[in-house]
Amino acid sequence: MGKKETRVVLVPRWITVALWVGVSGAMATAIYFLSGHAYHRESSLAEIVAMLRRYDQGSASNSAVLAIIAPAVADMLFFIPWGALAFLSLDRPDRSRKSIYGVTVMLGVAFALALTAWQTVLPTRVTAGIDCLWGAVGCGAGAALGHARKRVRVRFD
């Protein structure tokens, strides 16, 4: 019975960047294949808040709330891996965490805007302008997960 050692797997930065590019391509491909098969209904942040208020008052059904919230949740989940890989790709010891978070979220918003703009040439829209906000939230959450990998050690015995 010796001392248990911690094994560290080093992933080269170029692999992380390649995964980031791959996830970006997969996201664009998903939007391309969903175009013509899925339609995004424009719903503003004000409509979402109004629906939640009606739900609290008992005048909105569970399915109505789910229908208006599901696209926002899907957008956030869509961008979490992108944000994590972006954070890990940009992270360097000589850069501040705030700047890495800021750049990650700004790049995520730029990517979401590019996807939204690209959809003008596709048969139908899958995402809309408000989705850039939810993409930024997902990017921030992904960046937090990328940062947490330095703080949290998971150990399986």
Side-chain angles (χ1 to χ4, degrees):
M1 294 245 163
K3 189 176 181 182
K4 292 185 180 182
E5 64 184 64
T6 302
R7 296 179 193 249
V8 176
V9 177
L10 290 176
V11 178
R13 188 169 307 277
W14 70 268
I15 291 177
T16 306
V17 172
L19 286 170
W20 184 21
V21 170
V23 165
S24 299
M27 291 168 74
T29 302
I31 287 176
Y32 176 78
F33 284 117
L34 285 172
S35 179
H37 302 287
Y39 177 75
H40 187 278
R41 181 187 161 283
E42 284 285 335
S43 58
S44 68
L45 193 56
E47 286 178 315
I48 294 171
V49 170
M51 176 64 74
L52 291 175
R53 284 189 183 140
R54 285 195 303 267
Y55 181 76
D56 285 342
Q57 296 167 353
S59 63
S61 67
N62 290 342
S63 59
V65 171
L66 182 61
I68 204 160
I69 290 177
V73 172
D75 287 330
M76 286 185 273
L77 292 175
F78 197 53
F79 271 89
I80 285 175
W82 196 95
L85 289 168
F87 184 89
L88 294 172
S89 296
L90 299 170
D91 189 23
R92 299 217 194 282
D94 59 330
R95 295 181 184 160
S96 73
R97 294 283 181 245
K98 281 183 184 180
S99 67
I100 297 170
Y101 275 102
V103 169
T104 299
V105 171
M106 285 190 308
L107 286 173
V109 169
F111 183 62
L113 287 170
L115 288 175
T116 301
W118 173 55
Q119 291 176 69
T120 59
V121 298
L122 295 177
T124 58
R125 300 187 70 74
V126 179
T127 64
I130 189 72
D131 295 333
C132 295
L133 169 71
W134 303 121
V137 172
C139 250
L145 288 174
H147 185 210
R149 67 88 173 80
K150 287 188 161 194
R151 300 271 182 214
V152 177
R153 268 197 195 165
V154 178
R155 194 168 180 188
F156 299 95
D157 286 327

